[in-house]
Structures are given as C-alpha cells and as structure tokens.
Amino acid sequence: MAMGRGVRVFHSPGVTPYSVLIDYRGASESLLLESQAILKLAPDRADSIKRAQQFVKHSDGYALLGNLRLSTGDGVLHYLVIVTGCVSVGKLASSEIYKITDVKLISLRGYSPDEERVVEIRKLLASGSAYFSWSSSGSPVDLTLAAQRATRYKQSDSRFFWNRMLFLPYLRAGVDTNTWLTKIMFGSIEIRTVYVGAKQAKAAIVSRLSNERPGTRFAVRGVDDDGHVANFVETEQLVQLDGDISSHIQIRGSVPLFWEQPGVNVGSHKIRMARGPELSAPAFESHLNQVKRRYGNQVFVNLLASSLVGSKEGEATLSTAFQTHHKATPEHSDIPHILFDYHALGGGKSLDKLEAKVGEYIEKLGFFYSSGSKNHKVQDGVIRTNCADCLDRTNAVQLFIGLKVLSSQLQCLKLNDKENIVSRFEDGFRQMWVNNGNALSKIYAGTGALNQGGSKLLDGARSAARTIQNNLLDKDKQEAFDLLIHGTGRTTDFADRVRLLLPHKYFHAPVPLLQSVVKRWSEYTDFSPLRIAVGTYNINGGKHFRSVVYKDVSLDDWLLDAHKTANLIDTGENQVPIDIYAIGFEEMVDLDAKNIVNASKENAKEWAVELGKTLSREERYCLVTYQQLVGVCLYVFVRPHLAKYIRDVYVDDVKTGMGGATGNKGAVAISMTYRSSSICFLCSHFAAGQSQIAERNNDYSEAIKKVTFPNGRTVLNHDFVFWCGDFNYRINVSRAEAVNAVQNNDLTELLAADQLKIEQAAGNIFQGFHEGDITFPPTYKYDLFSDDYDTSEKCRVPAWTDRVLYRARRLPGVGEDWVPGNFHYYGRAELKQSDHRPVLAVIDIKVRDINSRKQTETIKDVLTTLGPSDGTVVSSPLTGDGTVKITEDIVGSITNCMTEFGDVRYSREVRGTIWTQFREGGAAQKALDAKIIVASGSEWQISAPCVKWREQLDLELDLVDNPDLPMTAGSHNQFRRQSAKLMSQLSQLSFEELEGIVLSPNVAPPKPPPPRPAGPPGRPAEPPSRPPAPARPAPPPPRPNPPPSRPAPPTTVPTEPPEKSSPGSHGSPPPAELCSPPQSSGGASSTSPVSVVSAAAAGAPTPASKSAGFSDLFSAPPDPELERDIPISLSSGSLVSLVASGEATPAPTKPPLPNASSLEYPEDYDPLAESGKCWNAGIDQKVPETLSPTKSSSSEEGGEEANDSDQSTPTNTDSQGGKESRRPPPVPTRPPGPPSGAPPPGPPPPGPPPSRPPPSGPPPPLPGRPAGRPPPPVPKR
C-alpha cells in the first residue's frame, strides 16, 4: 500500500485569533492550533468548529514534522512544518523509505510574508538529504538505529533524530507524538533489490549524519568542547534476505581538535589551529571516550597528508597534532592509529597497500548477523576514517573496506555460491557507495564528491562550485542548521546563563523552569580565586624582543618580575602565581597600505613563540588562542592545569579605521568560559591625535556595539571584561608643563587633565569599568632607545595612551560582601625598543564554580514546587465552556487575579477559556492549589493544560538529552598489542614542541638550496701579454658524430695505501692514489680494475669540487718563469675536465708547479696526437691526472715498467680557497689534428657504432711523445 497525503490542514483566514486545524488519517482526534496553544478535539467538536468559523483547506501533506519557533524583533513566530513532496527510495523490512523533496512552513499567525523568514529552513529540508520511514501496518523502522542497535533499544538515537526540537510543543500539550509526528534523519539512503533465484534480497547503504555538531564545510570544523566533531557520519552496509540481516558499520568524523580554515578559501586551504595543544586535550579525550562507549573498539585510519612541504603542509601539521594528542592519552593507547597518506601513496589506485594495514582489523572487528530474533554475530567495534573534509578520500576508503566485508556478509547469508550473484551485489554496492559519497558531500560542501571515477572536467566544475558555495552561500545554510537543531533563543543572554549554570539536558527546558533554577544560582555555586595579568604594548611595527642597546632589560621585567616587587612588605601576595595572561600589542606590523590590505602573520607567530618562552621561565604557560587585526594582536595564556576549566573560546574583531573600512585602527576580542564565569579580553588601538577625542569615543562605541561572538555573547554580557590597548587619549596640557610635572614626580595635575578620565566621568566611555591607580609616568611618546620624551618636530605631549581597565557584572542574588576585584599591581616597564612603554595590570577576581551535589538538590526542589513546566494554567467558567462571552475586560480581570500567585507573562483566550502563563516556575502550582478564582462576577476553575505534566516533562528532558546507546557491551582493549607497535610510528612531539611547530612562521623546515657553484675568482689586474699565435696546422678532418655517453668509471677498493707527498709539493691536497689500467706485455693480456683512493680515505677532508673551465685555469697570475703546457680546449668538458673529473688515468708527473692553476703533461705525451690514435682505435684516451701525488704501476708496451714518482700533481683550485674544482660529466672531444709536420690526414674515420661494447682485451698502450720533437708552441697570456 502506497502512502498518500494523509495530513490535511485547514485554517480560518481573516478571523482573529487565527486558527489552524489538522486532521490526520488514522487518528481518532483532530488538533487545533490557536494562540500558541495546542488542543486535542474530538471529531464532532472539530466538525462543528469548521462549520462555525468557516475553516477552509490550506494544504495537504504526507507527514507532519512539528512546530518551528523563530525569535525575531517582533516576538516569537511559530510555524507548522509539513511534508508536501517525497519520493520512495526503496523498502526495508516492512517499511517504505522516503526522501523529502518539498516542505511547507505555515505561519501560525496567518501572515504569509512570515514564510520568507524561514526560506533557508525550507531549502534545507527539501534538499534531498532528509529521509523518513512509513509503514501501513505497525510501527515503521526507526532510521536512527542501526540493525545491531535496533535489537537492543526501542528508543531513537538522539544524534540522528533531526526534528526533535519541533516535537517539544506537542509533548508539552500531551499529544501522542508517535501517532501525529514523523521523525526525520539526515544523510543518505541507497537501496537496491538483488534477485537471488526466486527470492529478493535487499542491499542498502544507510549513512546517518550526526546533529551534535552540524554545519557546512568552512563554518564548522574540528571538535567542540563536548567532544562532538564536525561531519560525523555513521554508515551502515546492510544486506537483507527474508528474515536474515547482515550489517557492517563504519564511522567518519573531522579530526577531534580545535582547528579552522579562516578567511576566503580559494585553491590551497590554510589550516589554523584555533587553540593550543593543552586546550584541545580535554575535548580530544572526550571524543575518544564517546566513540568507545557508543561503538566499542576503535581503529583510526588517518588519510591526511604527511609532507610538511608543499600545498598540503597544513594537513601535515594537523595530522601531526592528531598523532601527538593520541599518543599523549595513555588511556586510549589501545586504539590503532594507521597513517595512510592517500595522495602521496597513489590515491585510489593504491588501496591494496591499505589492505595490508587494515585487513587484520576488518576481520577481527567482524560484522552483525541475525536470523529471525537470534543474533549469530555482533560487530565489536568500528573503523574511524578521516581526511580533512571527511568526504572524497574517506568515501574511497570506506567503499574499499565495505567491499572487503561484503564477501563475509554474503557468505553468512549463503549468497556467495554463484559468481554472478556475488557480482551483482558488488556492482550494486559499488554504485551505491559512489552515490552515498555524493549525497554526503552535497550536505557538507554543497556539491557532489570529487575523484569518484568521473571526468577531470566534472571534478573541476564541482571544485569551482564548492569554492563559490562555501565562501559566499554557506552562511545562510549554517544558520538554518543551527535553528533546526538548537531552536530559537540560543543566542540570548539568558540562554548563555543557562549554559553556564545548568547541565546540557536542561538547555531546552521550559523557560519558567530555567528561570527558577537560574534565580537560585547562589545556592549551588562556590567562588574560586583567579589572578589575571593584562598587558599592553605598542611595539612600533617591529619584532624587537630585546633592545640591542639595553640588553639588561627584557620582556621578563615587564611580564614576570615587576609585580613581584610592587609591595615593599611582602605578605605572600607577591608570590601568588598568575593564572591567566592576556597580552595585547599594537602596531604589530607597520601600518602601511600593504599590511592594511593583507597584514602579515609572521610577526604575530614569532611573538607567540617568544611570549611562550618568556612566560614559561619558572613554570609553563600554554597558549589558549590569539587574534590579529592588522597591527592589533591579542594573546591569552593559561597555566596548563587550568586548561581543562576553559571552554567556549571564540574570537572577533572590529575595524574602526577610516569609518570602519580598514583595520589600521580597531579592536580584537577573545571570549571564553572559565569554570562557570564568562570572561572577555579586548585589545584596541583608537584614533590618534591630540584633539581627536570624538573619534576615539566613537571607536569605543563601535567596539561595544559590533563585537559579537558565535554563542551570542556581546562585550557587556560577560561576567568579567578586561580591556587593554593604545587608547590614544592624551593630556590637555602643554608639553613643557607635562615634562616638568614628570620630572617633579607631580602627576596630580596631569591626571586631572587626562582625556580618558574626563570622558569616563562624563559617561561617554568605559561605563562601569575600573582602573588601577596611576603612579607611573606617561608611557608615550619617547625617542627610540631613549628616556627622552619626543624631541622631533612635532614634540608630542606626553600621555598615558596605554591603559588597562576591567569590568565585573553583578548578578541578581549576590551578597552584600561581593567585591568586583582588586588591583594587585598596575605599572609600566622600561623597555626602550619602541616609542611607547609597556603596561601591566595584575587583578585578583573570584569566579563561580558549580557544586554538582548542591545543583542536583536545587533542581529537585524546584521541580517539586514547579507545577506545569511551562508555567501555564487554564481558567474555565464553572458554568461551562461557551456560557460566558470572553472579552478583553474579562481577560484583564483574570490576569489581575493571577498576579497574586506570581508575575504573569500574558493571558489569552483559547476557545472559551483563558490561558495564563507565568514567567517563573512555582507560580503555576500556587494557582493550581487555589483551584477557583472569582473574576468579573464569575467563578473560574483553574486547571493544567496537560494533566500528566510531570511525566511529559521527563519525556521532554529525555528527548533533548543525548544518552549513549552502546552498540556492543564487549571490552574495548582488543588491539592493545597492535596499537603499541603503531604508536611507535606516530609523532614523538610533546605538547610544548607541537605548539612551537603550530606557531612557527615556517611550519616546514626550509628547503636546502641547491648547490650553487662558486663564482669565478677575480682576474689579475694586468695579465701578461700574449704573443701572437703561431700558424695553425692543416685543418682536421670533419668531426664525426659524437659517440654515446659512457658510464662513470667504477670506484673500487684501493690496492695500496697512500703515500706522503714530496717535500717539494706546494699547496697540494692530501695524497690520493690512482692506478692506471695494465697494458699488454709480450702478447700476454691481463686486466685489473681502476682504483681510486679519496682524500677522505687517506685521513684528510676532501676539498669541495668546483667546475673546471677557462676562469679556473687563469684565476691566479701565472709565473713567467715556468713552462706550461695548456691544451687547446679549456672549456668545461674538455680534456682538462676529463682529468679533473677522474675520467682519465694520470701518468706520473714531474714536480708540482707553484701556481695551483697551471697544468703540465709529461715530456713524451702529446694530447692531440694521442686523442686521434685513441679515437681510431675505439678506446678511451688516458690523459695525465693532475690532482694529487701518485704512485702508479702501469705496464708499458714491451713490458717496461714506468718509473715510480713520489712527486705531487697539481689540482685545479681557485685562487682564494684552494678548493678542488667541480668535476662535470665528461663530454666527447673532437678528433685532434695531426701534429706539426705530419702528412695530410686520410679520409675521415667512420662514425661510432650505436653502442660500443667494452674491449675484450687490454687497451693498447699509450705511446710516449715522439723523441726529439718539441711540443707545439702554446701562446702564453
């Protein structure tokens, strides 16, 4: 049976009060919604009302989702939400599953334009991401429960019950919500029917999106203070056949740390850690505790990038922080943490590598299998997968894991007998996983998933659409998420006090109940002392941590030592440690046009690191967070053991420069909750100028009005406000008078002329703020590195521009002995690297701390005397309904009578009765105890709108609470041994080291620059004259094609130890032994490897090589008395290069030349002639090595031994460092021309073969220079 439009809505247009009547198919009653009341009507009564007031049909729908409340400036608006469009996605068990495609929100005051206010809610509900179930017989399947949980619990899982806040008005009215209302789940449901013979099996993927931290991609990241992470999804892979069910669950969720991606994100998205490591630890541990309680054993698969270099460096920092926190929680050391850099390891094509890491855990965690009412298998835990967005990469990995488990599921259901059936399931699930990934991506990122096997063009289009969606359109979508989940009134001051003082389950309780409990806050709170230091310093655009001139004065004198010596008589107060530091800076960067448009963050990070080191001199302080607006920057540090009491940390900033257009002037603010008190820190830089008082006042007003935090807090809504900065308020005296007063230590007249104090006394600024006694000289303006006030042309008047003030809010019910706080110290330090002097204030306050036992007793007492939780009572005439005509006078008379029991919020007529709501609990119970009142001459009976109001209150509290529904009752330490091995592969950083990496301006270590060859040495001033070159011999034959490149010569173990160089060597490097290849002798051939002994092997460092070329050869002035043989080619890659690179085997040489840049060949060696001979023979030419002294043992032709020589060989060095020249790769040389007087050359030799095999025998000997023939003349420079 298909579901029809079973909901019919009627209304009474043009009638006051506006009424809506609802009929529901299958219900025995009708519902009347009028004047914020919900009444149950019998069928005959409903029909009579329809006829009497001419009700007309408004719309039809498939399901009723509840009532939505929206707070506006006009009051609270109420909407009826019905489903007007849906499509079936399949059937599970006996229930049909529907996807919502359209909804209608009907204004319950009959004003159609009201519907425009909630258009984003309508878009969200009709986006195709909401699902509900329906059954024609019995209760439909609960989509919030996985198959394994459904066998253990009957209540819904609140995490996946998205419209529960819309149920509250009906619960309070006593309406049976199971009959009238429909639960919806957000996420994705894919169902396929697979035919197995004559049977039909159901294959499904059900992804349930958690509502604990809902939101969009860039608006919601990481974790919140309760341990709930963004984009948390429980995905169930389900197979059903008749009464048998097999199910497997995986989960995904953002990295459980405080991180964000601020600003406009295009292309590479920078990741910023929003809190320090110690501040993230409590929430991290809370999240791990939650997933263990709810799912059992855990296995983490971390897909984040691991390289700290490149576009993914932010991901690598986040991954390192994830690993560090996991390793720092020993109670969770049983959770295996698998690192798998998805992109670096090849993406989806390399998932087989992942199987080797997770295969063991997939098998041991198992899956759920039940037949009928008996459970045969249970899943003992889940694999938690995450990447940055938990979308594209996570989709691919979960698909891979799901298909691995599918074979075991089919085996249990005996569906793996035939390959074609298994193939059907695999193909179906593969497509369903892809669709599932697209659906989840549309909710969080606004587009389908990337890298799903589609075209690159499609991925590019989706990526561009994501950028537009996430940066421009997600704000409204995020507000719709918040309104649907958290309801209205969440950002009010009263709601903030409720969150400070009451447990989570009471956040959405009726207002009278909340007011009664909050009003008695002093009964269940204690006070704890807290010492806060607030400093301000205008650093004049620099990052000078310490003055170069005044090295004995440092940040320690300002932040750590000054307040300890403030009181001459130490009563112990000086030694009380400071619990929280708030340090503000102005002009963190130069206020130029470049920084105003896009301020650099490097100085802020460096100051964060420096402040952490300074404050941790005696005991460690950890960073809470910091915020920068161009030059204004504010840091908050806390002692580590107090970090667990801090939550709700938010930041904001306001630009006030140039009428609010630029941030060269403005304010930054940090809000947080410490224990049960709210604290706000601000740092401001106001307009400059002696006479710009009005502009400064306006800067203050703008900050007060515009600073708003995501939880709804404003500046003055906090319990404590600490405000520091360069306020730029001056002194209304001349410079001479001010300087003279400072020199005489007479500050009274200056304080009387202080602009800030004058404006504060006039009520223009800082109303209710306190400032310590000013006993120090003005802090502005000094000459740099001097104690002299401004001596420039402007000669500015000294002033106390740098100030610290604070404000404490007095709550109702506080005792007479309440003290807002005390200044322990207020003074300045003598840091001279700026034209300002830093100021520090140390203030002692007392913050609230909840006593849980007393809190429970107070709530219990309030509930005993509360009466109806919403504070509503109904007055009915004793003569019967309809017997008295209700007028405004009668309503006013009833209201006056009710004021005897308590403060009345309002009274209204509802169908012949008068409904009265009290502002606080207890008043309604007093009215019920009175039973009867007399008003306008008639007796009225008082009753409650819901008889079982106390039971309904319990149901309401259970509905808004998030109880844990454990999936399994097994132990949670199954993988302790495997986890211990994986832990050793995780980050080894401490929290302190992690904080340094996160705050470091360069997260990744700088890349080492590529080796750069040294520049050529300077040429001599006057090189010797070069004689004219002699006539060249006949031209050489045409140059053949170059031979193929030869491999580098092998380096082998030295055969003989190196010997010392001769005493006559000049500047030669440590000795190195070069053995030439053996020559053939007497027809016998033998071979031996070429041995090279490096200078390092000889016990001396090897000089760095440099390229050999023309500049290196002539880098030093030549010695005219020495003869030098210089080859024709001197460029890199010439014969000289071959010698320098070790490609040629050197022959013994004569004593070294004093000039380190000169070269010389043996007397009987002609390099040109030998080059041609070697080319014709097809062998490598061996030229003399000129690097170091050698002891060569080579066989000459005819078996004659070469003479041993202990003389050193000169090396190619530069003229300054004496370092060995770089050895470039060898290049083939051109064939030499014939020697002087030789006959003309014959035909050109043939070209080289494609690949020359190594010679089979020994190479031919190198003949010496022809006897009696002098070497060819070489021109000298």
Side-chain angles (χ1 to χ4, degrees):
M1 176 181 177
M3 182 183 68
R5 293 178 177 265
V7 178
R8 293 181 296 173
V9 179
F10 303 87
H11 70 137
S12 57
V15 178
T16 303
Y18 180 76
S19 303
V20 172
L21 194 145
I22 307 172
D23 288 341
Y24 187 70
R25 182 185 302 168
S28 59
E29 298 175 318
S30 299
L31 295 181
L32 179 67
L33 282 64
E34 180 181 302
S35 301
Q36 302 180 21
I38 301 177
L39 303 177
K40 292 180 290 185
L41 302 178
D44 54 349
R45 175 79 185 278
D47 291 340
S48 64
I49 291 177
K50 288 180 186 178
R51 291 191 297 268
Q53 294 191 2
Q54 299 181 350
F55 274 76
V56 295
K57 184 178 178 180
H58 186 286
S59 57
D60 290 339
Y62 293 96
L64 179 63
L65 301 184
N67 285 10
L68 178 71
R69 300 172 68 246
L70 175 65
S71 294
T72 65
D74 302 330
V76 179
L77 302 181
H78 298 255
Y79 298 86
L80 178 68
V81 186
I82 61 173
V83 177
T84 57
C86 60
V87 294
S88 175
V89 297
K91 195 172 184 180
L92 290 178
S94 60
S95 299
E96 197 79 21
I97 311 301
Y98 290 92
K99 177 196 295 185
I100 298 176
T101 59
D102 196 12
V103 297
K104 182 173 288 188
L105 285 83
I106 304 172
S107 173
L108 292 182
R109 67 173 185 174
Y111 187 55
S112 298
D114 286 346
E115 298 177 8
E116 297 297 327
R117 298 174 181 260
V118 290
V119 64
E120 291 298 327
I121 290 286
R122 189 187 67 79
K123 288 181 181 179
L124 179 62
L125 292 173
S127 63
S129 302
Y131 297 83
F132 68 93
S133 60
W134 175 85
S135 177
S136 60
S137 59
S139 299
V141 63
D142 192 342
L143 294 180
T144 68
L145 296 176
Q148 185 167 331
R149 279 198 178 91
T151 61
R152 304 185 63 192
Y153 307 101
K154 299 301 180 184
Q155 67 182 104
S156 299
D157 194 331
S158 299
R159 297 176 297 156
F160 312 123
F161 181 5
W162 275 70
N163 60 327
R164 54 180 176 165
M165 292 302 153
L166 278 59
F167 277 44
L168 295 182
Y170 294 87
L171 278 176
R172 294 169 184 172
V175 176
D176 183 8
T177 56
N178 292 328
T179 301
W180 282 92
L181 304 182
T182 300
K183 301 174 183 178
I184 62 173
M185 178 213 78
F186 263 69
S188 171
I189 298 180
E190 296 286 331
I191 302 175
R192 299 287 187 275
T193 300
V194 180
Y195 290 92
V196 183
K199 298 181 180 180
Q200 292 184 5
K202 294 293 183 179
I205 297 291
V206 182
S207 286
R208 304 173 178 91
L209 178 64
S210 173
N211 58 34
E212 293 174 318
R213 186 165 168 74
T216 54
R217 186 182 178 200
F218 291 138
V220 176
R221 290 289 205 189
V223 72
D224 63 12
D225 291 286
D226 297 315
H228 306 142
V229 296
N231 200 23
F232 184 89
V233 181
E234 173 189 289
T235 301
E236 181 181 19
Q237 179 173 283
L238 192 69
V239 181
Q240 288 186 353
L241 179 63
D242 297 333
D244 297 349
I245 299 176
S246 178
S247 162
H248 179 261
I249 291 178
Q250 301 180 63
I251 62 175
R252 71 176 74 187
S254 186
V255 175
L257 299 172
F258 292 99
W259 61 281
E260 58 190 15
Q261 290 179 299
V264 178
N265 291 273
V266 180
S268 179
H269 310 308
K270 300 298 182 182
I271 291 177
R272 175 181 181 267
M273 304 305 296
R275 301 191 198 176
E278 285 86 350
L279 274 296
S280 294
F284 179 86
E285 186 174 351
S286 177
H287 176 72
L288 266 59
N289 289 332
Q290 288 177 10
V291 294
K292 273 189 172 182
R293 291 195 307 267
R294 294 168 176 174
Y295 294 99
N297 292 297
Q298 296 290 306
V299 177
F300 292 167
V301 177
N302 185 354
L303 304 178
L304 292 172
S306 58
S307 174
L308 287 170
V309 179
S311 61
K312 297 292 184 180
E313 63 182 29
E315 279 195 16
T317 303
L318 180 61
S319 179
T320 301
F322 189 8
Q323 300 168 42
T324 303
H325 278 80
H326 188 189
K327 198 158 188 177
T329 53
E331 59 272 23
H332 299 298
S333 61
D334 57 331
I335 301 179
H337 192 131
I338 299 172
L339 302 178
F340 188 80
D341 189 339
Y342 183 85
H343 291 308
L345 294 176
K349 299 179 181 179
S350 63
L351 290 179
D352 290 340
K353 301 176 183 177
L354 180 63
E355 182 180 7
K357 296 185 176 185
V358 302
E360 173 187 1
Y361 306 109
I362 294 175
E363 181 179 354
K364 290 186 177 181
L365 291 175
F367 57 91
F368 172 74
Y369 168 59
S370 68
S371 178
S373 59
K374 185 177 180 180
N375 297 340
H376 298 279
K377 289 179 176 291
V378 294
Q379 187 173 345
D380 295 328
V382 296
I383 296 177
R384 184 193 191 277
T385 309
N386 76 271
C387 53
D389 298 324
C390 297
L391 294 178
D392 309 323
R393 286 171 279 181
T394 302
N395 294 337
V397 170
Q398 288 198 339
L399 183 154
F400 173 79
I401 295 175
L403 293 181
K404 291 296 179 184
V405 178
L406 178 61
S407 59
S408 300
Q409 291 182 270
L410 297 179
Q411 183 178 359
C412 280
L413 296 172
K414 299 179 181 179
L415 297 176
N416 63 336
D417 297 336
K418 297 182 179 180
E419 292 185 3
N420 63 334
I421 295 178
V422 175
S423 178
R424 290 178 197 171
F425 277 102
E426 289 180 348
D427 294 343
F429 271 109
R430 185 174 286 106
Q431 184 59 45
M432 286 191 292
W433 274 107
V434 172
N435 296 342
N436 173 78
N438 289 330
L440 296 179
S441 181
K442 288 178 181 178
I443 299 175
Y444 193 55
T447 69
L450 308 181
N451 303 321
Q452 294 289 321
S455 66
K456 294 294 183 182
L457 182 61
L458 177 60
D459 286 349
R462 286 179 173 177
S463 181
R466 278 188 183 183
T467 301
I468 298 173
Q469 174 76 27
N470 300 154
N471 290 292
L472 302 178
L473 307 177
D474 275 353
K475 181 179 179 182
D476 295 335
K477 185 177 180 181
Q478 183 63 47
E479 292 177 354
F481 272 120
D482 293 337
L483 180 60
L484 181 63
I485 296 302
H486 302 294
T488 190
R490 178 172 174 262
T491 58
T492 62
D493 181 47
F494 176 71
D496 182 50
R497 277 187 283 168
V498 170
R499 289 192 292 268
L500 289 173
L501 298 171
L502 296 181
H504 180 272
K505 65 184 297 183
Y506 292 96
F507 287 179
H508 302 283
V511 173
L513 168 61
L514 298 178
Q515 286 184 336
S516 299
V517 179
V518 170
K519 186 177 180 180
R520 298 171 59 176
W521 65 269
S522 59
E523 299 179 16
Y524 52 88
T525 58
D526 302 321
F527 286 99
S528 300
L530 186 69
R531 174 163 285 190
I532 296 179
V534 183
T536 178
Y537 190 13
N538 186 316
I539 56 177
N540 197 25
K543 52 182 179 182
H544 305 291
F545 306 137
R546 181 190 294 264
S547 170
V548 178
V549 180
Y550 300 92
K551 296 183 178 180
D552 57 330
V553 181
S554 65
L555 297 177
D556 297 28
D557 300 273
W558 170 35
L559 299 172
L560 299 178
D561 299 330
H563 64 278
K564 295 182 179 180
T565 59
N567 298 325
L568 298 179
I569 302 176
D570 187 5
T571 60
E573 290 294 322
N574 291 344
Q575 305 306 320
V576 175
I578 292 174
D579 298 310
I580 297 177
Y581 273 97
I583 306 170
F585 292 96
E586 301 78 44
E587 298 189 30
M588 173 67 71
V589 296
D590 293 326
L591 300 182
D592 52 22
K594 175 184 176 182
N595 283 322
I596 290 175
V597 174
N598 185 17
S600 171
K601 305 294 183 182
E602 301 305 312
N603 284 6
K605 292 180 178 179
E606 291 185 15
W607 270 102
V609 175
E610 183 66 22
L611 289 174
K613 294 177 181 177
T614 300
L615 297 178
S616 301
R617 183 185 69 182
E618 298 175 357
E619 64 172 312
R620 174 164 162 72
Y621 283 83
C622 56
L623 178 67
V624 177
T625 190
Y626 74 93
Q627 176 72 355
Q628 180 184 1
L629 172 66
V630 187
V632 184
C633 194
L634 178 62
Y635 304 85
V636 177
F637 290 84
V638 67
R639 300 167 72 190
H641 71 279
L642 301 178
K644 60 184 178 182
Y645 302 115
I646 294 178
R647 54 181 292 133
D648 304 327
V649 179
Y650 300 103
V651 299
D652 195 20
D653 55 63
V654 173
K655 300 177 181 178
T656 59
M658 299 181 65
T662 61
N664 59 314
K665 296 293 188 289
V668 296
I670 297 176
S671 171
M672 68 184 204
T673 298
Y674 178 79
R675 295 186 186 269
S676 294
S677 294
S678 55
I679 302 175
C680 181
F681 299 100
L682 294 99
C683 180
S684 295
H685 195 184
F686 291 167
Q690 182 74 23
S691 59
Q692 275 67 33
I693 301 176
E695 288 81 355
R696 289 189 278 272
N697 292 352
N698 183 68
D699 290 348
Y700 165 82
S701 300
E702 288 296 300
I704 288 290
K705 289 186 296 185
K706 293 185 177 180
V707 171
T708 305
F709 300 99
N711 57 355
R713 290 177 183 168
T714 61
V715 172
L716 300 181
N717 284 347
H718 290 78
D719 295 324
F720 297 95
V721 181
F722 299 89
W723 204 327
C724 67
D726 180 3
F727 299 140
N728 260 320
Y729 284 98
R730 310 301 173 87
I731 300 175
N732 295 328
V733 297
S734 66
R735 182 182 184 280
E737 291 175 335
V739 173
N740 184 60
V742 173
Q743 292 175 350
N744 297 329
N745 198 22
D746 183 10
L747 305 181
T748 305
E749 293 184 4
L750 298 183
L751 290 172
D754 179 62
Q755 293 177 355
L756 189 149
K757 290 188 175 295
I758 294 173
E759 294 300 312
Q760 185 180 21
N764 297 328
I765 57 172
F766 294 110
Q767 299 92 336
F769 282 80
H770 306 275
E771 185 180 17
D773 296 333
I774 299 179
T775 59
F776 49 89
T779 59
Y780 172 85
K781 175 187 185 196
Y782 285 90
D783 292 338
L784 290 179
F785 306 106
S786 171
D787 287 324
D788 298 329
Y789 285 107
D790 187 18
T791 59
S792 66
E793 294 181 0
K794 295 185 178 180
C795 288
R796 296 174 180 83
V797 178
W800 288 287
T801 58
D802 309 279
R803 313 285 275 268
V804 177
L805 298 92
Y806 90 100
R807 176 182 185 270
R809 178 171 64 171
R810 183 182 184 122
L811 294 177
V814 72
E816 296 295 332
D817 57 345
W818 178 78
V819 177
N822 296 310
F823 272 90
H824 171 70
Y825 170 78
Y826 191 36
R828 77 175 205 177
E830 299 305 320
L831 302 183
K832 298 178 175 61
Q833 53 264 39
S834 172
D835 55 355
H836 290 249
R837 295 292 185 264
V839 173
L840 183 73
V842 179
I843 307 167
D844 293 322
I845 62 174
K846 291 185 177 181
V847 296
R848 292 190 303 269
D849 191 12
I850 298 296
N851 186 315
S852 300
R853 181 184 58 81
K854 293 181 179 179
Q855 182 190 60
T856 303
E857 294 176 354
T858 301
I859 294 175
K860 183 178 180 180
D861 183 60
V862 168
L863 291 175
T864 302
T865 60
L866 178 67
S869 58
D870 61 350
T872 301
V873 294
V874 180
S875 301
S876 306
L878 286 178
T879 55
D881 295 343
T883 58
V884 178
K885 184 178 180 180
I886 306 297
T887 62
E888 291 187 4
D889 292 338
I890 294 179
V891 174
S893 179
I894 293 290
T895 302
N896 292 333
C897 293
M898 291 297 179
T899 54
E900 299 179 4
F901 310 115
D903 188 11
V904 176
R905 186 179 180 186
Y906 59 81
S907 295
R908 62 194 185 280
E909 178 197 2
V910 179
R911 294 295 160 183
T913 62
I914 298 176
W915 290 46
T916 302
Q917 187 176 52
F918 294 94
R919 293 188 180 275
E920 59 186 24
Q925 185 62 46
K926 294 178 182 179
L928 292 177
D929 293 339
K931 296 183 180 179
I932 296 177
I933 60 172
V934 178
S936 299
S938 302
E939 292 185 337
W940 300 78
Q941 183 177 6
I942 303 175
S943 60
C946 177
V947 179
K948 299 179 180 180
W949 58 268
R950 182 55 193 271
E951 290 82 353
Q952 297 299 328
L953 176 61
D954 293 338
L955 291 176
E956 178 180 344
L957 296 179
D958 291 339
L959 179 66
V960 299
D961 196 11
N962 283 340
D964 291 329
L965 304 179
M967 186 179 73
T968 178
S971 61
H972 304 156
N973 56 359
Q974 182 178 355
F975 303 121
R976 188 172 297 277
R977 179 180 57 82
Q978 296 92 329
S979 177
K981 181 179 179 181
L982 291 173
M983 281 289 183
S984 62
Q985 304 173 10
L986 301 185
S987 166
Q988 306 295 321
L989 300 178
S990 65
F991 278 170
E992 186 173 2
E993 294 168 332
L994 175 62
E995 185 176 289
I997 289 180
V998 170
L999 296 177
S1000 174
N1002 296 318
V1003 175
K1007 300 180 183 179
R1012 178 182 300 175
R1019 296 180 179 273
E1022 294 183 0
S1025 61
R1026 174 180 295 177
R1032 298 181 62 86
R1039 184 174 184 175
N1041 294 331
S1045 60
R1046 58 190 170 203
T1051 302
T1052 61
V1053 181
T1055 57
E1056 294 184 7
E1059 296 188 6
K1060 298 182 179 179
S1061 61
S1062 63
S1065 63
H1066 174 70
S1068 61
E1073 183 174 343
L1074 299 174
C1075 300
S1076 60
Q1079 307 296 326
S1080 61
S1081 175
S1085 63
S1086 63
T1087 60
S1088 65
V1090 178
S1091 302
V1092 179
V1093 180
S1094 66
T1102 304
S1105 64
K1106 297 177 66 177
S1107 58
F1110 184 87
S1111 300
D1112 294 321
L1113 292 173
F1114 295 97
S1115 60
D1119 190 340
E1121 297 181 0
L1122 294 176
E1123 242 179 300
R1124 294 182 299 170
D1125 292 336
I1126 302 177
I1128 291 177
S1129 175
L1130 300 177
S1131 62
S1132 177
S1134 63
L1135 295 177
V1136 179
S1137 300
L1138 294 177
V1139 174
S1141 62
E1143 292 289 340
T1145 304
T1149 61
K1150 59 186 180 181
L1153 301 177
N1155 188 351
S1157 298
S1158 64
L1159 294 173
E1160 185 172 357
Y1161 295 104
E1163 288 183 358
D1164 0 344
Y1165 183 78
D1166 186 349
L1168 300 180
E1170 295 305 320
S1171 175
K1173 294 178 181 179
C1174 294
W1175 177 261
N1176 295 331
I1179 62 174
D1180 294 340
Q1181 181 184 8
K1182 305 301 180 179
V1183 297
E1185 174 73 339
T1186 56
L1187 291 176
S1188 59
T1190 62
K1191 183 177 181 181
S1192 175
S1193 173
S1194 61
S1195 299
E1196 297 282 351
E1197 188 175 3
E1200 184 178 351
E1201 293 268 331
N1203 294 329
D1204 293 340
S1205 175
D1206 292 334
Q1207 298 169 347
S1208 62
T1209 303
T1211 59
N1212 290 336
T1213 58
D1214 59 28
S1215 60
Q1216 298 176 358
K1219 295 184 178 180
E1220 183 182 347
S1221 300
R1222 177 182 304 278
R1223 301 177 180 177
V1227 296
T1229 59
R1230 63 184 179 185
S1236 177
S1251 60
R1252 183 172 59 195
S1256 58
L1262 291 176
R1265 184 189 302 272
R1269 180 176 298 175
V1274 178
K1276 296 184 178 179
R1277 183 172 180 177

